[in-house]
Amino acid sequence: MRRTTALPKPPAGQPLAETHLWLTVRTLFPYLWRYRLRVIAALGCLVAAKVANVSVPMVFKEMIDGLSNTQQVLALPALLLGLYGMLRFSTALFTELREILFARVTQRAVRQVALEVFGHLHALSLRFHLERQTGGVSRDIERGSRSISSLISYTLYSILPTLVEIGLVLAILFVKYDSGYVLITLVSLVSYIVFTVKVSNWRIDIRRAVNENDSAANTRAVDSLLNYETVKYFNNEAWEARRYDEQMLKWEDAATRSQTTLAFLNLGQQAIIALGVTAMMWRAANGVVEGHMTIGDLVLVNAFLIQLYAPLNFLGIVYREIRQALADIERMFKLLQENREIADAPDARELPSGPLQINFDAVNFGYDPDRQILKNVDFAIAPGKTVAVVGHSGAGKSTLSRLLYRFYDVTGGAIRINGHDLRSLKQNSLRAAIGIVPQDTVLFNDSIFYNINYGRPTASREEVYGAARAAQLHEFIESLPQKYETRVGERGLKLSGGEKQRVAIARALLKNPPILIFDEATSALDSATERAIQSQLEFAAIGRTTLVIAHRLSTVMNADEILVMSDGHIIERGSHGALLAADGQYARMWNLQQQEDREKSPAGA
């Protein structure tokens, strides 16, 4: 077994970033200062509670001195007993009043920060969300929100009361006794604080490493569980367990180092406290022996020491927790600093109502500078017309819908609606005008009703049923035991691909937007269902500006114009009949798909 002969060192590797203490505090402060009256009142209660708390030993000293003289036993003022009880109660009263006043402030601050981060994450670009690790981000938000409450709680209920109490006790010791008591107390306090800060700062990287590895392990676990079926398909349970355990092993090492250094910190703190208490009691005992202090004074000094060192002993833990809370809050606030790649222009306007025309004017785009996806794409969709885009996989078809939604900005040219560049429009009004049935439908882990109703949350149940009927889904739903309240599972995994696609179609139809996008909308359906839904899609497209992205050419025969894309270019355009007559790429794709359909059909069909 390996033995450790020296104090553990922070983990090797890339150094972790510094915690920007004051920057984090300044970022958090406005959320609290919105409720300044409650904050000030709570601070007033804090001071009142500590004044009452410090006064208790002083009254107790007078009682002890009064009891020390046997001739005064019967003359002991009842006022002291009443005052003692009143001060004890006042300490508890003002402490609870402080908590009552500040409870709303703390919880409201947590709620507002978490909501702001949540909203900001939704405002970030699609690029950020494609690159993010969901498990790590969710854990950062969870820990950051919890740490705000911890930071406020520790500061208001531990740090400030202790500082107020230290100030009051030092003032009383200086006024009532000599400066020696003040000096011993100050030396003990300074030594304790310096030692705690130095060692805690040394430990902060270890604590941060624990969190980093915890988030990384959680990310791996979430990613693996989200891809449960894939893990099963390839029989990789043991592989996933090894990957998870590798990260947990790093966490275990960091957590062990953290616990070992914590023991060293606690031992040093107790040694400083023991030396300080011994020195103070030795000086007070000498004062009693020499006759210039009473037994009550000895009791008073001892009571002050207990009142000081009890919270001070806890202060070491509080400081570590505050540093950790600051690190967690800083990590969450860094999410707020993520750049919003796509943002509304200061003078952005609402998308005008009425019939809408879409123009792609010499559009160029690439997800990365060295990989061009669209090259000088130029076409128009007139109001109420349907334009279909076909081509082989990787031709850039689905990129058109992402650009129209303005998930990304074009790198050249412009996309316009009724002559307005998308970059001059408010994103909310733009996306409100577009409905989409995506190629890969992901549903919320909720009921079928909820997922259809998500297209327009204000819709009535009858409108939801109507959208389900239009998507040829209503009869299937009615055959289920729980009907529309049937839960679809994580990402809709309890439904088949075709059922999920029909839910997506119903959702888009319920939204009832002026612009419709069908991105391989029937790709997961069998031929019979595809034919049934195709007529509904064509009916839904009437009067709307519609973009159809398809691989199966039979679904776009009735489009007003068909664009054939290859390698980011439009290489052919025209109606179905005209493109067949041209005998080009479209005609070759059509003949190939017709041949495949004949081969799949039963003999004689």
mmCIF file with all atom_site columns, all heavy atoms in Angstrom, residues 90-114:
data_model
loop_
_atom_site.group_PDB
_atom_site.id
_atom_site.type_symbol
_atom_site.label_atom_id
_atom_site.label_alt_id
_atom_site.label_comp_id
_atom_site.label_asym_id
_atom_site.label_entity_id
_atom_site.label_seq_id
_atom_site.pdbx_PDB_ins_code
_atom_site.Cartn_x
_atom_site.Cartn_y
_atom_site.Cartn_z
_atom_site.occupancy
_atom_site.B_iso_or_equiv
_atom_site.pdbx_formal_charge
_atom_site.auth_seq_id
_atom_site.auth_comp_id
_atom_site.auth_asym_id
_atom_site.auth_atom_id
_atom_site.pdbx_PDB_model_num
ATOM 1   N N   . SER A 1 90  ? -33.987 38.424 23.302  1.00 0.00 ? 90  SER A N   1
ATOM 2   C CA  . SER A 1 90  ? -33.746 39.426 22.254  1.00 0.00 ? 90  SER A CA  1
ATOM 3   C C   . SER A 1 90  ? -32.771 38.907 21.204  1.00 0.00 ? 90  SER A C   1
ATOM 4   O O   . SER A 1 90  ? -32.918 39.174 20.007  1.00 0.00 ? 90  SER A O   1
ATOM 5   C CB  . SER A 1 90  ? -33.214 40.720 22.867  1.00 0.00 ? 90  SER A CB  1
ATOM 6   O OG  . SER A 1 90  ? -34.171 41.287 23.720  1.00 0.00 ? 90  SER A OG  1
ATOM 7   N N   . THR A 1 91  ? -31.759 38.155 21.656  1.00 0.00 ? 91  THR A N   1
ATOM 8   C CA  . THR A 1 91  ? -30.795 37.585 20.703  1.00 0.00 ? 91  THR A CA  1
ATOM 9   C C   . THR A 1 91  ? -31.506 36.693 19.702  1.00 0.00 ? 91  THR A C   1
ATOM 10  O O   . THR A 1 91  ? -31.301 36.798 18.480  1.00 0.00 ? 91  THR A O   1
ATOM 11  C CB  . THR A 1 91  ? -29.720 36.775 21.453  1.00 0.00 ? 91  THR A CB  1
ATOM 12  O OG1 . THR A 1 91  ? -29.048 37.624 22.385  1.00 0.00 ? 91  THR A OG1 1
ATOM 13  C CG2 . THR A 1 91  ? -28.711 36.193 20.478  1.00 0.00 ? 91  THR A CG2 1
ATOM 14  N N   . ALA A 1 92  ? -32.364 35.790 20.223  1.00 0.00 ? 92  ALA A N   1
ATOM 15  C CA  . ALA A 1 92  ? -33.107 34.895 19.336  1.00 0.00 ? 92  ALA A CA  1
ATOM 16  C C   . ALA A 1 92  ? -34.105 35.662 18.477  1.00 0.00 ? 92  ALA A C   1
ATOM 17  O O   . ALA A 1 92  ? -34.271 35.377 17.275  1.00 0.00 ? 92  ALA A O   1
ATOM 18  C CB  . ALA A 1 92  ? -33.832 33.838 20.160  1.00 0.00 ? 92  ALA A CB  1
ATOM 19  N N   . LEU A 1 93  ? -34.778 36.670 19.072  1.00 0.00 ? 93  LEU A N   1
ATOM 20  C CA  . LEU A 1 93  ? -35.796 37.437 18.354  1.00 0.00 ? 93  LEU A CA  1
ATOM 21  C C   . LEU A 1 93  ? -35.200 38.157 17.147  1.00 0.00 ? 93  LEU A C   1
ATOM 22  O O   . LEU A 1 93  ? -35.711 38.041 16.026  1.00 0.00 ? 93  LEU A O   1
ATOM 23  C CB  . LEU A 1 93  ? -36.436 38.451 19.302  1.00 0.00 ? 93  LEU A CB  1
ATOM 24  C CG  . LEU A 1 93  ? -37.421 39.441 18.661  1.00 0.00 ? 93  LEU A CG  1
ATOM 25  C CD1 . LEU A 1 93  ? -38.641 38.700 18.133  1.00 0.00 ? 93  LEU A CD1 1
ATOM 26  C CD2 . LEU A 1 93  ? -37.830 40.528 19.651  1.00 0.00 ? 93  LEU A CD2 1
ATOM 27  N N   . PHE A 1 94  ? -34.106 38.901 17.376  1.00 0.00 ? 94  PHE A N   1
ATOM 28  C CA  . PHE A 1 94  ? -33.510 39.658 16.269  1.00 0.00 ? 94  PHE A CA  1
ATOM 29  C C   . PHE A 1 94  ? -32.869 38.737 15.232  1.00 0.00 ? 94  PHE A C   1
ATOM 30  O O   . PHE A 1 94  ? -32.843 39.057 14.036  1.00 0.00 ? 94  PHE A O   1
ATOM 31  C CB  . PHE A 1 94  ? -32.480 40.655 16.812  1.00 0.00 ? 94  PHE A CB  1
ATOM 32  C CG  . PHE A 1 94  ? -33.087 41.845 17.500  1.00 0.00 ? 94  PHE A CG  1
ATOM 33  C CD1 . PHE A 1 94  ? -32.863 42.087 18.854  1.00 0.00 ? 94  PHE A CD1 1
ATOM 34  C CD2 . PHE A 1 94  ? -33.907 42.716 16.811  1.00 0.00 ? 94  PHE A CD2 1
ATOM 35  C CE1 . PHE A 1 94  ? -33.438 43.179 19.490  1.00 0.00 ? 94  PHE A CE1 1
ATOM 36  C CE2 . PHE A 1 94  ? -34.482 43.813 17.431  1.00 0.00 ? 94  PHE A CE2 1
ATOM 37  C CZ  . PHE A 1 94  ? -34.248 44.039 18.782  1.00 0.00 ? 94  PHE A CZ  1
ATOM 38  N N   . THR A 1 95  ? -32.363 37.589 15.669  1.00 0.00 ? 95  THR A N   1
ATOM 39  C CA  . THR A 1 95  ? -31.787 36.629 14.721  1.00 0.00 ? 95  THR A CA  1
ATOM 40  C C   . THR A 1 95  ? -32.863 36.086 13.787  1.00 0.00 ? 95  THR A C   1
ATOM 41  O O   . THR A 1 95  ? -32.671 36.011 12.566  1.00 0.00 ? 95  THR A O   1
ATOM 42  C CB  . THR A 1 95  ? -31.114 35.460 15.467  1.00 0.00 ? 95  THR A CB  1
ATOM 43  O OG1 . THR A 1 95  ? -30.046 35.975 16.279  1.00 0.00 ? 95  THR A OG1 1
ATOM 44  C CG2 . THR A 1 95  ? -30.545 34.441 14.490  1.00 0.00 ? 95  THR A CG2 1
ATOM 45  N N   . GLU A 1 96  ? -34.027 35.726 14.363  1.00 0.00 ? 96  GLU A N   1
ATOM 46  C CA  . GLU A 1 96  ? -35.105 35.191 13.529  1.00 0.00 ? 96  GLU A CA  1
ATOM 47  C C   . GLU A 1 96  ? -35.719 36.270 12.649  1.00 0.00 ? 96  GLU A C   1
ATOM 48  O O   . GLU A 1 96  ? -36.100 36.007 11.500  1.00 0.00 ? 96  GLU A O   1
ATOM 49  C CB  . GLU A 1 96  ? -36.186 34.553 14.414  1.00 0.00 ? 96  GLU A CB  1
ATOM 50  C CG  . GLU A 1 96  ? -35.730 33.340 15.196  1.00 0.00 ? 96  GLU A CG  1
ATOM 51  C CD  . GLU A 1 96  ? -35.096 32.283 14.311  1.00 0.00 ? 96  GLU A CD  1
ATOM 52  O OE1 . GLU A 1 96  ? -35.620 32.040 13.199  1.00 0.00 ? 96  GLU A OE1 1
ATOM 53  O OE2 . GLU A 1 96  ? -34.066 31.699 14.710  1.00 0.00 ? 96  GLU A OE2 1
ATOM 54  N N   . LEU A 1 97  ? -35.822 37.504 13.184  1.00 0.00 ? 97  LEU A N   1
ATOM 55  C CA  . LEU A 1 97  ? -36.320 38.612 12.362  1.00 0.00 ? 97  LEU A CA  1
ATOM 56  C C   . LEU A 1 97  ? -35.413 38.835 11.159  1.00 0.00 ? 97  LEU A C   1
ATOM 57  O O   . LEU A 1 97  ? -35.887 39.103 10.046  1.00 0.00 ? 97  LEU A O   1
ATOM 58  C CB  . LEU A 1 97  ? -36.407 39.896 13.195  1.00 0.00 ? 97  LEU A CB  1
ATOM 59  C CG  . LEU A 1 97  ? -37.637 40.040 14.096  1.00 0.00 ? 97  LEU A CG  1
ATOM 60  C CD1 . LEU A 1 97  ? -37.529 41.310 14.933  1.00 0.00 ? 97  LEU A CD1 1
ATOM 61  C CD2 . LEU A 1 97  ? -38.909 40.078 13.249  1.00 0.00 ? 97  LEU A CD2 1
ATOM 62  N N   . ARG A 1 98  ? -34.102 38.728 11.386  1.00 0.00 ? 98  ARG A N   1
ATOM 63  C CA  . ARG A 1 98  ? -33.143 38.880 10.293  1.00 0.00 ? 98  ARG A CA  1
ATOM 64  C C   . ARG A 1 98  ? -33.399 37.825 9.207   1.00 0.00 ? 98  ARG A C   1
ATOM 65  O O   . ARG A 1 98  ? -33.410 38.126 8.015   1.00 0.00 ? 98  ARG A O   1
ATOM 66  C CB  . ARG A 1 98  ? -31.722 38.747 10.839  1.00 0.00 ? 98  ARG A CB  1
ATOM 67  C CG  . ARG A 1 98  ? -30.622 38.789 9.791   1.00 0.00 ? 98  ARG A CG  1
ATOM 68  C CD  . ARG A 1 98  ? -29.323 38.274 10.374  1.00 0.00 ? 98  ARG A CD  1
ATOM 69  N NE  . ARG A 1 98  ? -29.430 36.859 10.727  1.00 0.00 ? 98  ARG A NE  1
ATOM 70  C CZ  . ARG A 1 98  ? -28.530 36.211 11.455  1.00 0.00 ? 98  ARG A CZ  1
ATOM 71  N NH1 . ARG A 1 98  ? -27.480 36.856 11.945  1.00 0.00 ? 98  ARG A NH1 1
ATOM 72  N NH2 . ARG A 1 98  ? -28.687 34.931 11.726  1.00 0.00 ? 98  ARG A NH2 1
ATOM 73  N N   . GLU A 1 99  ? -33.645 36.601 9.639   1.00 0.00 ? 99  GLU A N   1
ATOM 74  C CA  . GLU A 1 99  ? -33.882 35.527 8.667   1.00 0.00 ? 99  GLU A CA  1
ATOM 75  C C   . GLU A 1 99  ? -35.191 35.750 7.917   1.00 0.00 ? 99  GLU A C   1
ATOM 76  O O   . GLU A 1 99  ? -35.273 35.519 6.708   1.00 0.00 ? 99  GLU A O   1
ATOM 77  C CB  . GLU A 1 99  ? -33.895 34.178 9.383   1.00 0.00 ? 99  GLU A CB  1
ATOM 78  C CG  . GLU A 1 99  ? -32.570 33.831 10.039  1.00 0.00 ? 99  GLU A CG  1
ATOM 79  C CD  . GLU A 1 99  ? -32.279 32.345 9.980   1.00 0.00 ? 99  GLU A CD  1
ATOM 80  O OE1 . GLU A 1 99  ? -32.923 31.648 9.169   1.00 0.00 ? 99  GLU A OE1 1
ATOM 81  O OE2 . GLU A 1 99  ? -31.408 31.898 10.725  1.00 0.00 ? 99  GLU A OE2 1
ATOM 82  N N   . ILE A 1 100 ? -36.218 36.196 8.633   1.00 0.00 ? 100 ILE A N   1
ATOM 83  C CA  . ILE A 1 100 ? -37.514 36.449 8.000   1.00 0.00 ? 100 ILE A CA  1
ATOM 84  C C   . ILE A 1 100 ? -37.390 37.537 6.945   1.00 0.00 ? 100 ILE A C   1
ATOM 85  O O   . ILE A 1 100 ? -37.905 37.419 5.827   1.00 0.00 ? 100 ILE A O   1
ATOM 86  C CB  . ILE A 1 100 ? -38.569 36.832 9.052   1.00 0.00 ? 100 ILE A CB  1
ATOM 87  C CG1 . ILE A 1 100 ? -38.899 35.615 9.940   1.00 0.00 ? 100 ILE A CG1 1
ATOM 88  C CG2 . ILE A 1 100 ? -39.837 37.375 8.393   1.00 0.00 ? 100 ILE A CG2 1
ATOM 89  C CD1 . ILE A 1 100 ? -39.740 35.942 11.153  1.00 0.00 ? 100 ILE A CD1 1
ATOM 90  N N   . LEU A 1 101 ? -36.665 38.610 7.290   1.00 0.00 ? 101 LEU A N   1
ATOM 91  C CA  . LEU A 1 101 ? -36.499 39.733 6.371   1.00 0.00 ? 101 LEU A CA  1
ATOM 92  C C   . LEU A 1 101 ? -35.692 39.344 5.136   1.00 0.00 ? 101 LEU A C   1
ATOM 93  O O   . LEU A 1 101 ? -35.965 39.804 4.029   1.00 0.00 ? 101 LEU A O   1
ATOM 94  C CB  . LEU A 1 101 ? -35.820 40.908 7.088   1.00 0.00 ? 101 LEU A CB  1
ATOM 95  C CG  . LEU A 1 101 ? -36.684 41.690 8.082   1.00 0.00 ? 101 LEU A CG  1
ATOM 96  C CD1 . LEU A 1 101 ? -35.817 42.606 8.933   1.00 0.00 ? 101 LEU A CD1 1
ATOM 97  C CD2 . LEU A 1 101 ? -37.733 42.513 7.335   1.00 0.00 ? 101 LEU A CD2 1
ATOM 98  N N   . PHE A 1 102 ? -34.691 38.484 5.323   1.00 0.00 ? 102 PHE A N   1
ATOM 99  C CA  . PHE A 1 102 ? -33.758 38.215 4.231   1.00 0.00 ? 102 PHE A CA  1
ATOM 100 C C   . PHE A 1 102 ? -34.122 36.980 3.416   1.00 0.00 ? 102 PHE A C   1
ATOM 101 O O   . PHE A 1 102 ? -33.559 36.757 2.334   1.00 0.00 ? 102 PHE A O   1
ATOM 102 C CB  . PHE A 1 102 ? -32.335 38.048 4.779   1.00 0.00 ? 102 PHE A CB  1
ATOM 103 C CG  . PHE A 1 102 ? -31.290 38.614 3.848   1.00 0.00 ? 102 PHE A CG  1
ATOM 104 C CD1 . PHE A 1 102 ? -31.090 39.978 3.760   1.00 0.00 ? 102 PHE A CD1 1
ATOM 105 C CD2 . PHE A 1 102 ? -30.526 37.785 3.052   1.00 0.00 ? 102 PHE A CD2 1
ATOM 106 C CE1 . PHE A 1 102 ? -30.134 40.508 2.911   1.00 0.00 ? 102 PHE A CE1 1
ATOM 107 C CE2 . PHE A 1 102 ? -29.566 38.300 2.187   1.00 0.00 ? 102 PHE A CE2 1
ATOM 108 C CZ  . PHE A 1 102 ? -29.376 39.665 2.121   1.00 0.00 ? 102 PHE A CZ  1
ATOM 109 N N   . ALA A 1 103 ? -35.068 36.169 3.896   1.00 0.00 ? 103 ALA A N   1
ATOM 110 C CA  . ALA A 1 103 ? -35.403 34.930 3.188   1.00 0.00 ? 103 ALA A CA  1
ATOM 111 C C   . ALA A 1 103 ? -35.860 35.213 1.762   1.00 0.00 ? 103 ALA A C   1
ATOM 112 O O   . ALA A 1 103 ? -35.405 34.568 0.802   1.00 0.00 ? 103 ALA A O   1
ATOM 113 C CB  . ALA A 1 103 ? -36.482 34.166 3.951   1.00 0.00 ? 103 ALA A CB  1
ATOM 114 N N   . ARG A 1 104 ? -36.754 36.176 1.591   1.00 0.00 ? 104 ARG A N   1
ATOM 115 C CA  . ARG A 1 104 ? -37.268 36.509 0.270   1.00 0.00 ? 104 ARG A CA  1
ATOM 116 C C   . ARG A 1 104 ? -36.159 37.020 -0.648  1.00 0.00 ? 104 ARG A C   1
ATOM 117 O O   . ARG A 1 104 ? -36.124 36.693 -1.838  1.00 0.00 ? 104 ARG A O   1
ATOM 118 C CB  . ARG A 1 104 ? -38.382 37.547 0.397   1.00 0.00 ? 104 ARG A CB  1
ATOM 119 C CG  . ARG A 1 104 ? -38.920 38.070 -0.914  1.00 0.00 ? 104 ARG A CG  1
ATOM 120 C CD  . ARG A 1 104 ? -39.772 37.065 -1.635  1.00 0.00 ? 104 ARG A CD  1
ATOM 121 N NE  . ARG A 1 104 ? -40.994 36.763 -0.900  1.00 0.00 ? 104 ARG A NE  1
ATOM 122 C CZ  . ARG A 1 104 ? -41.913 35.902 -1.310  1.00 0.00 ? 104 ARG A CZ  1
ATOM 123 N NH1 . ARG A 1 104 ? -41.734 35.237 -2.430  1.00 0.00 ? 104 ARG A NH1 1
ATOM 124 N NH2 . ARG A 1 104 ? -42.989 35.672 -0.593  1.00 0.00 ? 104 ARG A NH2 1
ATOM 125 N N   . VAL A 1 105 ? -35.240 37.821 -0.080  1.00 0.00 ? 105 VAL A N   1
ATOM 126 C CA  . VAL A 1 105 ? -34.136 38.374 -0.876  1.00 0.00 ? 105 VAL A CA  1
ATOM 127 C C   . VAL A 1 105 ? -33.286 37.253 -1.450  1.00 0.00 ? 105 VAL A C   1
ATOM 128 O O   . VAL A 1 105 ? -32.951 37.231 -2.638  1.00 0.00 ? 105 VAL A O   1
ATOM 129 C CB  . VAL A 1 105 ? -33.268 39.318 -0.022  1.00 0.00 ? 105 VAL A CB  1
ATOM 130 C CG1 . VAL A 1 105 ? -32.104 39.876 -0.832  1.00 0.00 ? 105 VAL A CG1 1
ATOM 131 C CG2 . VAL A 1 105 ? -34.109 40.461 0.531   1.00 0.00 ? 105 VAL A CG2 1
ATOM 132 N N   . THR A 1 106 ? -32.925 36.296 -0.607  1.00 0.00 ? 106 THR A N   1
ATOM 133 C CA  . THR A 1 106 ? -32.059 35.194 -1.038  1.00 0.00 ? 106 THR A CA  1
ATOM 134 C C   . THR A 1 106 ? -32.714 34.372 -2.132  1.00 0.00 ? 106 THR A C   1
ATOM 135 O O   . THR A 1 106 ? -32.123 34.134 -3.196  1.00 0.00 ? 106 THR A O   1
ATOM 136 C CB  . THR A 1 106 ? -31.725 34.281 0.162   1.00 0.00 ? 106 THR A CB  1
ATOM 137 O OG1 . THR A 1 106 ? -31.108 35.055 1.192   1.00 0.00 ? 106 THR A OG1 1
ATOM 138 C CG2 . THR A 1 106 ? -30.787 33.167 -0.263  1.00 0.00 ? 106 THR A CG2 1
ATOM 139 N N   . GLN A 1 107 ? -33.949 33.929 -1.879  1.00 0.00 ? 107 GLN A N   1
ATOM 140 C CA  . GLN A 1 107 ? -34.604 33.049 -2.839  1.00 0.00 ? 107 GLN A CA  1
ATOM 141 C C   . GLN A 1 107 ? -34.924 33.769 -4.142  1.00 0.00 ? 107 GLN A C   1
ATOM 142 O O   . GLN A 1 107 ? -34.828 33.186 -5.227  1.00 0.00 ? 107 GLN A O   1
ATOM 143 C CB  . GLN A 1 107 ? -35.890 32.462 -2.229  1.00 0.00 ? 107 GLN A CB  1
ATOM 144 C CG  . GLN A 1 107 ? -35.695 31.755 -0.896  1.00 0.00 ? 107 GLN A CG  1
ATOM 145 C CD  . GLN A 1 107 ? -34.531 30.782 -0.900  1.00 0.00 ? 107 GLN A CD  1
ATOM 146 O OE1 . GLN A 1 107 ? -34.282 30.098 -1.882  1.00 0.00 ? 107 GLN A OE1 1
ATOM 147 N NE2 . GLN A 1 107 ? -33.799 30.719 0.203   1.00 0.00 ? 107 GLN A NE2 1
ATOM 148 N N   . ARG A 1 108 ? -35.277 35.065 -4.051  1.00 0.00 ? 108 ARG A N   1
ATOM 149 C CA  . ARG A 1 108 ? -35.557 35.823 -5.271  1.00 0.00 ? 108 ARG A CA  1
ATOM 150 C C   . ARG A 1 108 ? -34.291 36.012 -6.093  1.00 0.00 ? 108 ARG A C   1
ATOM 151 O O   . ARG A 1 108 ? -34.326 35.935 -7.329  1.00 0.00 ? 108 ARG A O   1
ATOM 152 C CB  . ARG A 1 108 ? -36.162 37.183 -4.889  1.00 0.00 ? 108 ARG A CB  1
ATOM 153 C CG  . ARG A 1 108 ? -36.583 38.045 -6.069  1.00 0.00 ? 108 ARG A CG  1
ATOM 154 C CD  . ARG A 1 108 ? -37.729 37.442 -6.857  1.00 0.00 ? 108 ARG A CD  1
ATOM 155 N NE  . ARG A 1 108 ? -38.923 37.245 -6.057  1.00 0.00 ? 108 ARG A NE  1
ATOM 156 C CZ  . ARG A 1 108 ? -39.829 38.204 -5.806  1.00 0.00 ? 108 ARG A CZ  1
ATOM 157 N NH1 . ARG A 1 108 ? -39.654 39.427 -6.296  1.00 0.00 ? 108 ARG A NH1 1
ATOM 158 N NH2 . ARG A 1 108 ? -40.897 37.932 -5.091  1.00 0.00 ? 108 ARG A NH2 1
ATOM 159 N N   . ALA A 1 109 ? -33.163 36.260 -5.432  1.00 0.00 ? 109 ALA A N   1
ATOM 160 C CA  . ALA A 1 109 ? -31.890 36.415 -6.149  1.00 0.00 ? 109 ALA A CA  1
ATOM 161 C C   . ALA A 1 109 ? -31.521 35.122 -6.866  1.00 0.00 ? 109 ALA A C   1
ATOM 162 O O   . ALA A 1 109 ? -31.116 35.135 -8.032  1.00 0.00 ? 109 ALA A O   1
ATOM 163 C CB  . ALA A 1 109 ? -30.784 36.829 -5.186  1.00 0.00 ? 109 ALA A CB  1
ATOM 164 N N   . VAL A 1 110 ? -31.668 33.988 -6.164  1.00 0.00 ? 110 VAL A N   1
ATOM 165 C CA  . VAL A 1 110 ? -31.375 32.687 -6.776  1.00 0.00 ? 110 VAL A CA  1
ATOM 166 C C   . VAL A 1 110 ? -32.256 32.478 -8.003  1.00 0.00 ? 110 VAL A C   1
ATOM 167 O O   . VAL A 1 110 ? -31.782 32.080 -9.079  1.00 0.00 ? 110 VAL A O   1
ATOM 168 C CB  . VAL A 1 110 ? -31.590 31.545 -5.761  1.00 0.00 ? 110 VAL A CB  1
ATOM 169 C CG1 . VAL A 1 110 ? -31.506 30.186 -6.449  1.00 0.00 ? 110 VAL A CG1 1
ATOM 170 C CG2 . VAL A 1 110 ? -30.562 31.627 -4.645  1.00 0.00 ? 110 VAL A CG2 1
ATOM 171 N N   . ARG A 1 111 ? -33.540 32.767 -7.845  1.00 0.00 ? 111 ARG A N   1
ATOM 172 C CA  . ARG A 1 111 ? -34.488 32.561 -8.944  1.00 0.00 ? 111 ARG A CA  1
ATOM 173 C C   . ARG A 1 111 ? -34.158 33.452 -10.137 1.00 0.00 ? 111 ARG A C   1
ATOM 174 O O   . ARG A 1 111 ? -34.160 32.994 -11.290 1.00 0.00 ? 111 ARG A O   1
ATOM 175 C CB  . ARG A 1 111 ? -35.891 32.869 -8.431  1.00 0.00 ? 111 ARG A CB  1
ATOM 176 C CG  . ARG A 1 111 ? -36.958 32.884 -9.512  1.00 0.00 ? 111 ARG A CG  1
ATOM 177 C CD  . ARG A 1 111 ? -38.277 33.359 -8.951  1.00 0.00 ? 111 ARG A CD  1
ATOM 178 N NE  . ARG A 1 111 ? -39.113 33.930 -9.988  1.00 0.00 ? 111 ARG A NE  1
ATOM 179 C CZ  . ARG A 1 111 ? -40.042 34.842 -9.765  1.00 0.00 ? 111 ARG A CZ  1
ATOM 180 N NH1 . ARG A 1 111 ? -40.251 35.296 -8.558  1.00 0.00 ? 111 ARG A NH1 1
ATOM 181 N NH2 . ARG A 1 111 ? -40.771 35.302 -10.760 1.00 0.00 ? 111 ARG A NH2 1
ATOM 182 N N   . GLN A 1 112 ? -33.843 34.723 -9.887  1.00 0.00 ? 112 GLN A N   1
ATOM 183 C CA  . GLN A 1 112 ? -33.592 35.650 -10.986 1.00 0.00 ? 112 GLN A CA  1
ATOM 184 C C   . GLN A 1 112 ? -32.299 35.322 -11.727 1.00 0.00 ? 112 GLN A C   1
ATOM 185 O O   . GLN A 1 112 ? -32.242 35.393 -12.960 1.00 0.00 ? 112 GLN A O   1
ATOM 186 C CB  . GLN A 1 112 ? -33.553 37.084 -10.452 1.00 0.00 ? 112 GLN A CB  1
ATOM 187 C CG  . GLN A 1 112 ? -34.934 37.592 -10.042 1.00 0.00 ? 112 GLN A CG  1
ATOM 188 C CD  . GLN A 1 112 ? -34.904 38.992 -9.477  1.00 0.00 ? 112 GLN A CD  1
ATOM 189 O OE1 . GLN A 1 112 ? -33.875 39.449 -8.973  1.00 0.00 ? 112 GLN A OE1 1
ATOM 190 N NE2 . GLN A 1 112 ? -36.019 39.686 -9.544  1.00 0.00 ? 112 GLN A NE2 1
ATOM 191 N N   . VAL A 1 113 ? -31.254 34.953 -10.977 1.00 0.00 ? 113 VAL A N   1
ATOM 192 C CA  . VAL A 1 113 ? -29.997 34.592 -11.631 1.00 0.00 ? 113 VAL A CA  1
ATOM 193 C C   . VAL A 1 113 ? -30.176 33.327 -12.465 1.00 0.00 ? 113 VAL A C   1
ATOM 194 O O   . VAL A 1 113 ? -29.741 33.258 -13.625 1.00 0.00 ? 113 VAL A O   1
ATOM 195 C CB  . VAL A 1 113 ? -28.869 34.393 -10.599 1.00 0.00 ? 113 VAL A CB  1
ATOM 196 C CG1 . VAL A 1 113 ? -27.616 33.844 -11.268 1.00 0.00 ? 113 VAL A CG1 1
ATOM 197 C CG2 . VAL A 1 113 ? -28.541 35.705 -9.904  1.00 0.00 ? 113 VAL A CG2 1
ATOM 198 N N   . ALA A 1 114 ? -30.819 32.302 -11.880 1.00 0.00 ? 114 ALA A N   1
ATOM 199 C CA  . ALA A 1 114 ? -31.029 31.050 -12.612 1.00 0.00 ? 114 ALA A CA  1
ATOM 200 C C   . ALA A 1 114 ? -31.867 31.288 -13.861 1.00 0.00 ? 114 ALA A C   1
ATOM 201 O O   . ALA A 1 114 ? -31.576 30.735 -14.934 1.00 0.00 ? 114 ALA A O   1
ATOM 202 C CB  . ALA A 1 114 ? -31.711 30.028 -11.707 1.00 0.00 ? 114 ALA A CB  1
#
